Amino acid sequence: MVKLRLKRCGRKQRAVYRIVAIDVRSRREGRDLQKVGFYDPIKNQTYSNVPAILYFLEKGAQPTGTVHDISKKAEVFTELRLNKNQ
């Protein structure tokens, strides 16, 4: 099973996260399938590769809680619903 999860990067006390598609059995810093976004909680910046996120969600990937909230703000789920209706 694949999950959309945050992967920690950056220095001590200055965490930055990559949003990655990763196998459930892998650890947090393990090998990811694809990098699909970026999240900086200090500057409150996000970047999402929406087509890649939609691809993994359509294939059955489950987002974690934080990734779900970030995707919700980026309105990824509305695009997912629009794609399913067409």
Side-chain angles (χ1 to χ4, degrees):
M1 179 183 205
V2 176
K3 275 204 174 217
L4 296 176
R5 187 189 294 176
L6 293 177
K7 185 175 185 178
R8 192 177 197 276
C9 303
R11 309 189 316 235
K12 277 194 289 190
Q13 305 297 318
R14 297 277 302 167
V16 223
Y17 297 93
R18 287 186 180 143
I19 302 170
V20 296
I22 194 166
D23 187 41
V24 174
R25 295 166 291 187
S26 298
R27 56 196 181 108
R28 184 183 71 185
E29 266 61 346
R31 185 181 173 107
D32 51 59
L33 301 173
Q34 185 177 0
K35 295 172 185 72
V36 295
F38 171 82
Y39 173 58
D40 186 353
I42 296 168
K43 295 180 182 176
N44 202 14
Q45 293 178 333
T46 59
Y47 166 76
S48 300
N49 184 353
V50 177
I53 292 174
L54 289 175
Y55 170 78
F56 281 107
L57 288 174
E58 287 171 354
K59 296 292 181 182
Q62 297 293 314
T64 59
T66 309
V67 173
H68 183 273
D69 294 342
I70 292 169
S71 301
K72 197 182 224 182
K73 286 181 186 176
E75 299 179 355
V76 170
F77 296 111
T78 56
E79 292 186 29
L80 182 66
R81 274 191 239 119
L82 289 175
N83 287 349
K84 284 188 178 181
N85 290 338
Q86 291 179 353

